[in-house]
Amino acid sequence: MGKKDNKYSNATTSLTEGGVFGLGRPIDFSDGITRIALICTILTSVAATVWKTMGGADTEAAVYFGINTAAAFFFSWLIAQELDPDRKLGGIIGGGLSIVAVLTLGEGNVLVLLWLLFILRLLNRTSGSRHKLGDNVLLIVIAYWLGKDGYWLYPVLTGTAYIIESQIKGGYYRSLYLGGLAFAVTAMADTTAKAHSLSMIYIYLMAICFILFLPEIRMASITEAKGDKDGKRIIPQRLQVAQGVFLMIGFAVPWVHGDSQAAALTPAWMAGIGVGVYLLVDAIQKALFAKNNL
């Protein structure tokens, strides 16, 4: 089938413009919630560094811990914006929970969180643009790197996400080829069979995330969020698919790769819990308001 005859060839101009990156999103410093998130990120880094120093750690270890803790908060907030772009405060809740998780369960993996963030943007297109060359290189290189370390499910999930993207509304037909490339990367991954254990605490967190986040998929059908670059309402079906893939990744990776990758994804689970809690509180407030006005 030629390009002109392809069912996806009628994509809007904003999705077919040139450029290296398409999934990057600008940080709006004029937005109050964004400013709160950035301030909290800085304060988290300082507080975590001081706390670690007071515990007897050397300067290098304390700074490293402070940066990782701040990154957990920041990426949890960013991922929450992709899961529920209509309710930004949910990301602040998720970020706060991620700090608690770092202090009690250990640090996450920034590379994994960055990969997940771009997978979600690939599917929901909150940036207002489709994926471009730079985004594809970033995703496939991260998938290769993680696969090389023995976490072979990441290139498999990357290929799966590309194939899903090609089939949903407004999908880009070349995503099929990129999916094939991502699957080919799996051949270079370390697939040596290893025994992995998954602690019950992570299973509980996964269950809590699933229960609290599930209503978000229903609410995504009435989203009013707009793409950053094109100013158009994002496609609800794409947002719902991104949310479903988030749950799939959040469950599949820990089951296959065990505690190490469960810890890496914990800030993402906290993002899901945060937006779910905020949605629940918002629904209760609206129900009480409606009842009082009867």
Side-chain angles (χ1 to χ4, degrees):
M1 180 180 289
K3 181 177 179 181
K4 292 183 179 180
D5 297 324
N6 191 281
K7 64 179 179 179
Y8 302 128
S9 61
N10 60 347
T12 60
T13 302
S14 63
L15 298 181
T16 57
E17 290 175 344
V20 178
F21 288 94
L23 302 182
R25 299 186 63 188
I27 296 178
D28 183 8
F29 292 98
S30 65
D31 179 70
I33 297 175
T34 300
R35 291 200 299 269
I36 292 173
L38 295 176
I39 292 171
C40 287
T41 300
I42 296 171
L43 292 178
T44 297
S45 178
V46 174
T49 301
V50 172
W51 180 79
K52 201 70 172 179
T53 302
M54 293 178 65
D58 59 61
T59 303
E60 183 179 354
V63 171
Y64 181 78
F65 179 79
I67 292 174
N68 273 339
T69 306
F73 177 94
F74 187 63
F75 274 97
S76 182
W77 177 73
L78 286 176
I79 289 171
Q81 309 313 300
E82 305 305 319
L83 297 176
D84 187 350
D86 294 283
R87 301 170 187 82
K88 295 184 178 181
L89 274 174
I92 303 296
I93 298 173
L97 292 173
S98 70
I99 295 175
V100 176
V102 169
L103 296 176
T104 56
L105 299 174
E107 303 165 28
N109 186 323
V110 173
L111 201 61
V112 170
L113 297 175
L114 179 63
W115 171 84
L116 176 60
L117 178 68
F118 272 73
I119 287 291
L120 294 176
R121 289 180 179 177
L122 168 77
L123 295 169
N124 63 20
R125 286 189 184 164
T126 51
S127 68
S129 174
R130 65 167 175 80
H131 47 292
K132 306 290 178 64
L133 175 63
D135 309 303
N136 299 324
V137 170
L138 177 69
L139 279 171
I140 293 175
V141 167
I142 292 178
Y144 162 76
W145 190 268
L146 293 170
K148 181 178 67 69
D149 286 342
Y151 307 120
W152 54 266
L153 190 58
Y154 286 102
V156 172
L157 290 172
T158 303
T160 302
Y162 273 119
I163 291 173
I164 292 174
E165 197 283 330
S166 72
Q167 299 302 308
I168 56 181
K169 187 174 181 180
Y172 184 49
Y173 72 100
R174 286 193 175 129
S175 293
L176 283 171
Y177 309 135
L178 292 165
L181 178 60
F183 277 118
V185 169
T186 308
M188 295 180 281
D190 179 7
T191 56
T192 305
K194 298 177 182 177
H196 297 288
S197 61
L198 184 61
S199 302
M200 284 302 299
I201 182 63
Y202 293 120
I203 295 176
Y204 292 145
L205 286 176
M206 290 161 61
I208 293 170
C209 178
F210 180 82
I211 293 170
L212 290 175
F213 183 75
L214 203 57
E216 288 283 352
I217 298 178
R218 176 66 182 87
M219 292 301 297
S221 63
I222 55 174
T223 181
E224 295 296 329
K226 297 180 180 179
D228 295 326
K229 297 175 184 177
D230 60 3
K232 296 181 179 179
R233 179 174 178 254
I234 63 175
I235 301 174
Q237 293 88 340
R238 294 190 70 96
L239 178 57
Q240 289 175 319
V241 168
Q243 292 171 337
V245 168
F246 164 74
L247 290 177
M248 178 186 70
I249 291 172
F251 279 77
V253 171
W255 281 114
V256 173
H257 295 304
D259 283 347
S260 65
Q261 293 310 293
L265 284 170
T266 298
W269 293 342
M270 295 308 174
I273 292 173
V275 297
V277 167
Y278 186 76
L279 176 62
L280 178 62
V281 172
D282 185 51
I284 292 174
Q285 287 179 336
K286 288 180 179 178
L288 292 176
F289 178 80
K291 182 178 179 180
N292 292 332
N293 284 274
L294 287 177

